[in-house]
Amino acid sequence: MYRQVLDPVAGSLGWSSLVAALPLAVLFVLLGGVRMRAWTASLIALAVSLAVAIWAYGMPADQAFLAGTEGAAFGFFPILWIVINALWLYNITVTTGHFDVLRRTFAQVSDDQRLQAVLIAFSFGALLEALAGFGTPVAVTSVMLIALGFQPLKAAVLALTANTAPVAFGAMATPILTLGKVTGESSDTLGAMVGRQTPILAVFVPLVLVAIVDGRRGLRETWPVALLCGASFGAAQYVTANFVSVPLADVVASLVSAAAVVLAVRLRPEAPPVPAPVAGGAADEPTPEFAARVEGGRVESGSVEGGRVEGDRRVAPVTDSRAEIVRAYAPYAIIIAVFVGCQLGPVKDVLDKATATFSWPGLDLAGPDGEALSLPTFTLNYLTTPGTQMLVAGLLTMAALRAGPGRAVRAYWTTLVQLRWAIITVMAVLGLAFVMNASGQTVTLGTWMAGAGGAFALLSPILGWLGTAVTGSDTSSNSLFGALQVTAAGKADLSPVLMAATNSSGGVLGKMVSPQNLAIAAAAVGLDGREGDVFRRVILWSLLFLTGMCVLSGLQSTGVLGWMVP
């Protein structure tokens, strides 16, 4: 058995923290500074984490490598299993032409790209986050934006930035439910607390989206609609999380915000046309293979029909029948029906029976206190994982859209090719995360930050941000640091509910800079190898939002906003 040591470097927690942070520092420098491809940077950072674990922490090499293999396996199942099947379902709608119909109906709501970004990246993305999570909304909404004429880089940045406020309640509130298990606190109480933090964030996200699309002019001309979208989302998320149902918080909030945007657009005076966005140079250009698929009519980046430009000529607008429109929306109705149905008590109980739990072979770990860690326990929840449910939704979509088996198989192969580099990246990053967790590097970082005393309330969101940035999952961040947040709260005389919830609320802001999600976004829009370009566009927004969450957490720990803590 390997027993973790908190301060292996010169017996100092501070020096040990600096060494423990090396894998993350290498990863972000290679991505943002060197502009290295994400899969290469992730593999190098994984090697650094193994070196730190073996030589600084004294972890046996075989156990360190085994921890990495478990992380890679977890990266594929359940995370990549969800993303692959979600993108496959989307590609079915593309090959059958129904995605074009969906795009045209969205365009009919408004031809203003600033409002399209709010409606699709934020409201529709929140619905996908509520149902599936784990990178699905980033993969789907970024491509939908391209179909409406957005440049690839901007589409990826918008999708990642929008995927913040809904994340804590994503996948039917899986992060909150997980947080409740690891902390011993009521998930309803934790959900209520998160529902008093992320709704404030939600108010500002649509404003940032229109600023990304069109700068100051975008804010000046569309701020009322953007503010209405964010405020309605935040209000619905708060009410649902506190008084109705924590798992349904994002479902209700996404639908309410979408309805608010559509209503506002209908009542809004007709605005002058917005000039087309200026391309951002080479970084905005998709890879040659991706561009070729687009020109070949594969429409991963949009259709050439419906009044759009094809070469040097403009294609006449297409009028879609009501039946075609219904079929275009059918896949998303099927997704909602499948996911909600699988959450019903009797159905979920039956599905839970198809679960296998085992200890990862050869991995035997204990924490600094000598107690055995649960990290080596691996769970294969074959039917309750959102990936399998998305696969079922895809099969039903095949029938609804009359897509034959041959077409569906070709779409699946296209999906795997499209995600080939993202698959390597995600598995490498999760391997890195598991090595850091198993060796004690993450516990060292967390314990060092927890020593800040009362000021920990200001630092608590950073811990959650760090966990999600490394693992790409708010759920994993809560599993990693949830209990530590409660322990630190007890030592600093802070509310354990507040600190645990803040871990999740801070974690949502690390989602947009996680190499896992950067890889998914880049692959979806045809910018393979340019994850560093996307990273540099989102890092400042991530840090800005994180600063705001730190201030909010600090105020909620005092008499100023302490009344907000349930």
Side-chain angles (χ1 to χ4, degrees):
M1 176 180 285
Y2 166 71
R3 180 173 177 173
Q4 296 175 341
V5 180
L6 290 178
D7 53 357
V9 181
S12 168
L13 193 59
W15 284 111
S16 299
S17 297
L18 287 175
V19 174
L22 279 177
L24 303 181
V26 168
L27 180 61
F28 290 129
V29 167
L30 292 179
L31 277 177
V34 182
R35 301 190 182 188
M36 187 175 288
R37 296 173 70 97
W39 69 270
T40 308
S42 300
L43 289 174
I44 292 174
L46 171 60
V48 173
S49 71
L50 288 167
V52 171
I54 296 169
W55 287 309
Y57 279 76
M59 187 178 190
D62 59 339
Q63 297 236 39
F65 282 101
L66 284 171
T69 60
E70 184 186 8
F74 182 80
F76 189 84
F77 189 95
I79 295 175
L80 284 167
W81 180 236
I82 299 169
V83 176
I84 290 171
N85 288 318
L87 205 55
W88 169 63
L89 185 150
Y90 158 76
N91 279 331
I92 290 177
T93 69
V94 169
T95 60
T96 59
H98 288 89
F99 182 76
D100 282 339
V101 180
L102 183 69
R103 172 188 57 78
R104 287 192 287 268
T105 61
F106 272 111
Q108 288 170 4
V109 174
S110 174
D111 59 0
D112 190 327
Q113 283 198 337
R114 300 165 299 189
L115 300 183
Q116 290 172 349
V118 170
L119 181 62
I120 295 174
F122 186 74
S123 297
F124 186 63
L127 180 60
L128 293 177
E129 180 67 37
L131 299 174
F134 297 99
T136 303
V138 171
V140 175
T141 61
S142 59
V143 186
M144 291 183 72
L145 290 173
I146 291 180
L148 291 170
F150 286 79
Q151 294 294 332
L153 180 60
K154 185 167 287 187
V157 171
L158 288 167
L160 286 166
T161 305
N163 192 218
T164 47
V167 168
F169 297 97
M172 305 306 288
T174 297
I176 304 295
L177 299 177
T178 301
L179 187 62
K181 290 180 181 178
V182 301
T183 62
E185 301 287 341
S186 166
S187 58
D188 288 336
T189 304
L190 292 170
M193 184 66 244
V194 174
R196 302 177 191 198
Q197 294 177 321
T198 55
I200 298 174
L201 169 68
V203 174
F204 298 98
V205 173
L207 295 170
V208 170
L209 296 181
V210 298
I212 292 174
V213 174
D214 197 30
R216 293 182 180 178
R217 181 182 61 179
L219 276 174
R220 184 175 63 252
E221 295 179 358
T222 63
W223 71 264
V225 179
L227 184 61
L228 175 64
C229 177
S232 61
F233 182 95
Q237 191 182 60
Y238 162 74
V239 171
T240 307
N242 279 269
F243 308 110
V244 182
S245 167
V246 171
L248 293 178
D250 275 351
V251 175
V252 175
S254 61
L255 296 176
V256 169
S257 65
V261 172
V262 172
L263 181 62
V265 170
R266 291 284 183 264
L267 299 177
R268 182 172 176 244
E270 186 173 349
V274 181
V278 179
D284 259 334
E285 299 171 4
T287 55
E289 317 90 75
F290 187 85
R293 289 203 300 270
V294 174
E295 291 182 8
R298 294 298 301 273
V299 295
E300 270 96 340
S301 69
S303 170
V304 293
E305 300 177 358
R308 299 177 62 80
V309 174
E310 178 181 312
D312 296 326
R313 65 187 181 86
R314 180 173 293 275
V315 182
V318 176
T319 300
D320 300 302
S321 67
R322 180 168 297 180
E324 286 299 306
I325 293 175
V326 170
R327 276 196 288 270
Y329 280 90
Y332 303 98
I334 289 171
I335 292 173
I336 294 174
V338 170
F339 276 83
V340 172
C342 290
Q343 293 296 320
L344 299 177
V347 177
K348 190 174 182 179
D349 291 341
V350 172
L351 298 180
D352 275 333
K353 294 180 180 178
T355 300
T357 302
F358 60 93
S359 182
W360 198 257
L363 198 56
D364 195 6
L365 308 172
D369 56 3
E371 293 188 9
L373 297 179
S374 61
L375 184 70
T377 301
F378 197 89
T379 301
L380 291 171
N381 49 336
Y382 300 104
L383 299 182
T384 56
T385 176
T388 302
Q389 294 169 16
M390 190 64 74
L391 177 63
V392 172
L395 296 173
L396 294 176
T397 296
M398 285 173 54
L401 302 187
R402 301 169 186 170
R407 177 178 284 181
V409 170
R410 287 192 296 272
Y412 210 99
W413 175 251
T414 298
T415 301
L416 292 175
V417 172
Q418 189 176 354
L419 291 174
R420 61 191 184 281
W421 300 119
I423 290 172
I424 296 175
T425 301
V426 172
M427 294 180 71
V429 169
L430 266 295
L432 176 151
F434 271 60
V435 170
M436 291 185 66
N437 296 350
S439 63
Q441 296 172 55
T442 48
V443 179
T444 295
L445 289 168
T447 305
W448 175 69
M449 293 179 64
F456 182 68
L458 288 169
L459 302 177
S460 177
I462 300 176
L463 203 55
W465 180 91
L466 182 66
T468 305
V470 174
T471 64
S473 164
D474 197 45
T475 299
S476 298
S477 179
N478 289 342
S479 299
L480 189 60
F481 290 131
L484 182 63
Q485 294 271 13
V486 172
T487 301
K491 293 179 179 178
D493 196 25
L494 297 168
S495 167
V497 169
L498 172 61
M499 293 298 95
T502 300
N503 190 84
S504 192
S505 298
V508 306
L509 304 172
K511 189 92 168 177
M512 67 175 86
V513 297
S514 165
Q516 168 187 313
N517 290 298
L518 291 171
I520 291 170
V525 302
L527 293 178
D528 293 298
R530 293 173 179 165
E531 294 85 359
D533 293 324
V534 182
F535 174 79
R536 285 190 300 278
R537 296 291 185 93
V538 298
I539 181 62
L540 291 179
W541 292 118
S542 179
L543 295 177
L544 179 63
F545 282 139
L546 178 61
T547 301
M549 189 61 68
C550 289
V551 172
L552 176 62
S553 173
L555 292 176
Q556 288 178 331
S557 70
T558 68
V560 179
L561 294 180
W563 51 269
M564 296 180 68
V565 180

